[in-house]
Amino acid sequence: MQYRDFGNLGYKVSALGYGAMRLPEDDSGDVDRDAAVAVIREAIDSGINYVDTAPTYNRDQSEGVVGEALADGYRERVWLSTKNQRVNDDPDDWRRRLEASLRKLRVDYLDVYHMWGISWQQFEEHLAIKDGPLTAARRAQKDGLFRHLFFSLHAPPEDLFKITDTGEFVGCTVQYNLIDRRNEAGIAYAAAKGLAVVIMGPVGGGRLAGPSSVIGDLDVPAASTAELALRFVLANPNVSCAISGMSNLAQLRENVATASRTERLSAAELARINKNFDEYEKLAELYCTSCDYCAPCPENVAISRVLTLYGLARVYGLEEAAKKLYYDIGRTGFYANMNDAAACNACGDCVEKCPQRLDVPAELGEAHAALGDGRKG
Ligand code: SF4
Ligand code: SF4
């Protein structure tokens, strides 16, 4: 395992972190606790020293299972991270959520605690108000309930700069991968300011997990798309750690092998990758941009999800991964309560709202034809 400076914290963190958001599940969709404990412990035995969870991961079961895995001396071997999502501005509620996480994890303190999924507006108008959540955070830190305050972000890239500039955080967790490089400048800025930078979704939340003829043509040595995706993120010197949600030992072992390589992608390989992905991105922008202006659909079709997956297949050649994720719509995960494209009745409501002027029902029909068969990956 390779280790890197963890911002200005004076510690080394493993280049690969364990993200406990896709723990192995049984047929009912609950966490398979024995399998999950085994994979987390092997991760730590393989040299991973950063474990990240959150209260709602894996149907609210992740923190409890991570707590189980960290018994028997494993706790002392890792940086343990979890998160607090703003519900209101009440500092006591914020503290109660922190204490609930500590109880589920069965620990006295956290190494890293995140203000979860924040935006600049939320920080300014809610978190940083007088006697609000930030005040509660500083009090809890003083009481020894956590060591370092981080933030995570799904907001526009410019928010990363603004929140870094507040000086309130010593680290951040942000999205960055081959098909979403929007935070690259913000990551460089945060690292230059001494923040520890943790990357979530280095394999695009599973989107880069399957083979791709397009990416395979890049002439970069990598055994799989997932390996190339992880190598791309780790080639960025501003990244401290990339957390990947690994559901089984095979994925874990492949990622550990990748994160243990001492040689990084060369400048020429990176230039080739960036040039090609700039072109793919331009092509992808001709299609659905996931703006969600068309939502909600009266038939509860997950329009932007379906069309984004279709884009993965037709622009990036990631058909296998797109089919697997399409299959999950209406069944499991974030889109479990929505419908796939088969539910579209062509009412046309979405068409007039779409700034891309897409013929959405026709695109959905094409997407269903392309992704809706043989999809049980
Ligand atoms: S055309 Fe289809 S996707 Fe669009 S709003 Fe109507 S039912 Fe929903
Ligand atoms: S409005 Fe158009 S571009 Fe935006 S999510 Fe809907 S289909 Fe995609």
Side-chain angles (χ1 to χ4, degrees), residues 287-294 303-304 307 353-356 358 360:
Y287 303 120
C288 176
T289 57
S290 305
C291 67
D292 274 333
Y293 289 148
C294 54
I303 302 173
S304 63
L307 296 186
K353 296 186 210 157
C354 177
Q356 296 283 92
L358 297 176
V360 181

Side-chain angles (χ1 to χ4, degrees), residues 194-207:
L195 269 69
V197 176
V198 177
I199 299 303
M200 59 178 144
V203 188
R207 287 172 294 161

Side-chain angles (χ1 to χ4, degrees), residues 6-8 33 42 59 70 89 100 114-115 123 132 146 151 166 175 193 221 240 253 255 257-258 334 375:
F6 207 24
N8 279 351
R33 301 182 95 86
E42 178 163 328
R59 295 184 181 180
L70 295 185
D89 299 342
H114 284 83
M115 290 201 161
F123 180 83
F146 71 88
F151 66 95
T166 65
Q175 184 95 21
K193 294 272 177 177
S240 297
R253 289 168 188 166
N255 285 347
T258 304
F334 193 76
R375 52 197 174 177

